[in-house]
Every structure is written in C-alpha cells, then in structure tokens.
Amino acid sequence: DVQGGLVAALATLVERMQQPDGPAVLLNAPLRLPDLLPESAGEHLLGIAQEAVANAVRHARADQVELTLEHRDAA
C-alpha cells in the first residue's frame, strides 16, 4: 500500500525485511518525491521493489540488499 507516498511505503518494506538472521536491507531515497508520480505508478514501483528484494533474499541469498530510488527531471 502506498498511502503516505512511495518513499514511506519503501521504508516500511525495508523495516519489515529487517530480521536478526536476515540480510541488511538499506534504502537510499529522497525524503519525498514530487507529487507528479501517479498513485498507480507508485503501486507498481512498490511491487517491483518487493519482488526484487524477495528474489535477492530467496535466490541470491544476499547478505545485503540496497534499494535506491532517484528522481530525475525530464531533459
């Protein structure tokens, strides 16, 4: 759920993934994104992030997973 914004939803995902015996999950993201991102796009990006973290943990047995979210102005 992306209520409160994509960055907050990603922070919640990272918090949920923190387990004593699990990988370190880090988030590099701005505190807030411009309001230009449609809610449906945020939901898709959150789903992609969830699947990517799950795959890194499940298949790669990663010790650390880092999510990076950047906003770039259109050129």
Side-chain angles (χ1 to χ4, degrees):
D1 161 12
V2 285
Q3 285 183 322
L6 177 58
V7 175
L10 289 171
T12 299
L13 168 65
V14 167
E15 187 177 305
R16 283 190 211 147
M17 293 299 298
Q18 300 298 344
Q19 302 293 325
D21 58 343
V25 183
L26 309 170
L27 175 62
N28 295 313
L31 292 177
R32 149 172 184 42
L33 292 173
D35 293 331
L36 303 173
L37 186 68
E39 185 174 337
S40 62
E43 291 171 358
H44 287 296
L45 290 171
L46 177 60
I48 291 166
Q50 290 169 330
E51 189 65 24
V53 170
N55 284 342
V57 172
R58 186 180 309 121
H59 300 298
R61 293 178 178 76
D63 293 329
Q64 179 173 311
V65 178
E66 188 171 333
L67 295 173
T68 300
L69 178 66
E70 294 181 351
H71 171 264
R72 296 183 185 173
D73 291 326

